[in-house]
Amino acid sequence: MSVLVADVAEAEEFLAKNPDIDTIQIVFTNQSGVGRGKNLRRHELLAIYQHARYLPGTMLALDITGEDVDESGLVWANGDADYLGRPVPGTLVRAPWLGSTFAQVLLSVYELDGTPCVYDPRHVLRRVIDRFKEFDLTPVVACELEFFLVDHERGPNGELRVPASPVTGNRPWDIQVYGLRELDDFDPFFRDLYAACDVQGIPVESAISEYAPGQLEMTLRHRPDALRAADDAIMYKRAIKGVAVQHGVEATFMAKPFSDVAGSGMHLHVSLADRNGKNAFASEAPEGTELLKFSVGGMQALLEDSMAVFAPNANSYRRFRANSYAPVAPTWGINNRTVSFRVPAGPAPTRHIEHRVCGADANPYLAVAALLAAIHHGVKHRLDPGAPIVGNGYAQAAEMGVKLPDNWFKALDLFEASERMKDYFGPDFHRVFIAVKRAEQNRFFSRVTELDYDWYLRNS
């Protein structure tokens, strides 16, 4: 389990080894998954390790656009009171894309009396992880994120475009999944990204060209510390976005940036380690152990309850289409990418579950918390997932008439009604999450868009 608060010795050592660093960016990630914070001067750093940095409570409940949500109770009702921002251990690192003299550190939020703040997504995840102590098991997690590189400038008709290669000038237009030329075309970006990740200790591994022009995917190594795995995902997303800007493009983790090609997911890989650190899912049988099956059963049971976390935005629901490599039903299978919960092929010690529902736009802390809540629920209640799907999971789901919640309002209604999610996430966080998302829904659907004009201006 991660140490909650970094020791001042960590900062002292960093400053001694990095005398050129003059600016440190402090980063807090609220429920919307957007990093917010401040730039500090070098002389200010030790103070946040010795005590903390005061942060306004509104940061805990801003919507995705950065606007206050009064309904959260964290704006005017409590006078926008301050909380304590404290450094996350192991996250004080150089941030080369910001400049040669920049560093960054992640923050987690605490009450003024030093207790963990219930509105901080990182503490939500920590509390769910702690529940596995009753089984003497430790979650082992890795995040696998898809993203698109896109042009800063829109096309002649205002359309979003994938960028031309800085190496060849070629602008990708065809899918070319697993294409090596597509990786070669953006080799300067990848080289700088790997270098930045190495500097930051982010365990990034292989890169592939995914199932759409301009779509890429990189994997993060499994961690026997799920909290640190989520920290990795937060830092990785920031590094990708920062390095992309250095190369004159933008990286987006939007779930569905283009209508006619695949969207971007955050596949969550998970297993459970026993008290000796051995994989409790390991089995020569491809379907794994009984414990693995109970975990899948829990994922099925809590999927509707937690869909608002895995697909947190209006755009998220455009990703779920049959035959798109995004799942459409609470199905599971072995070595099968047409299901939501896949047990990948591999030797027995690597046996694990790949949860394929989550969008790349989800908050990694909350997504991993929802995943582990489902596994805990399944193990505790010994839930049977039924027989695995063999063959085309899309077709079989259609025949069975089962599907995921298919719109933002329905998903949030299910989350709000879920006593299980209230229990796992905590009633206070559960309430604030709902308040922020209801406010976002109202603001999103009050906007008149170009599509409104295209469909209704002349036809109404």
Side-chain angles (χ1 to χ4, degrees), residues 305-317:
D305 303 50
S306 50
M307 194 69 185
V309 172
F310 297 133
N313 305 308
N315 176 263
S316 306
Y317 294 85

Side-chain angles (χ1 to χ4, degrees), residues 176-294:
Q176 296 297 348
V177 65
Y178 282 88
L180 295 176
R181 184 191 68 192
E182 285 63 32
L183 298 181
D184 297 343
D185 278 350
F186 289 92
D187 182 64
F189 163 77
F190 281 114
R191 286 182 183 275
D192 283 352
L193 178 59
Y194 276 120
C197 288
D198 287 347
V199 165
Q200 295 204 329
I202 303 170
V204 66
E205 296 190 321
S206 57
I208 66 168
S209 172
E210 258 294 349
Y211 200 70
Q215 188 184 39
L216 304 165
E217 177 189 274
M218 301 177 78
T219 58
L220 295 170
R221 194 162 56 245
H222 287 76
R223 292 271 199 182
D225 178 345
L227 201 56
R228 181 64 206 208
D231 291 335
D232 287 341
I234 293 289
M235 295 171 68
Y236 164 80
K237 291 179 76 170
R238 285 182 56 76
I240 287 178
K241 285 177 172 285
V243 173
V245 169
Q246 275 194 318
H247 285 264
V249 297
E250 289 199 48
T252 180
F253 293 88
M254 184 177 176
K256 187 75 169 176
F258 298 99
S259 297
D260 54 349
V261 295
S264 293
M266 177 165 58
H267 298 162
L268 302 174
H269 294 256
V270 63
S271 59
L272 296 174
D274 65 21
R275 68 180 66 182
N276 299 313
K278 301 293 186 182
N279 183 0
F281 287 175
S283 169
E284 292 298 334
E287 67 272 18
T289 60
E290 188 176 53
L291 195 65
L292 183 150
K293 293 178 185 177
F294 293 155

Side-chain angles (χ1 to χ4, degrees), residues 54 106 126 197 293 313 374 418 449:
Y54 287 101
L106 302 188
R126 180 187 55 80
C197 288
K293 293 178 185 177
N313 305 308
S418 174
T449 69

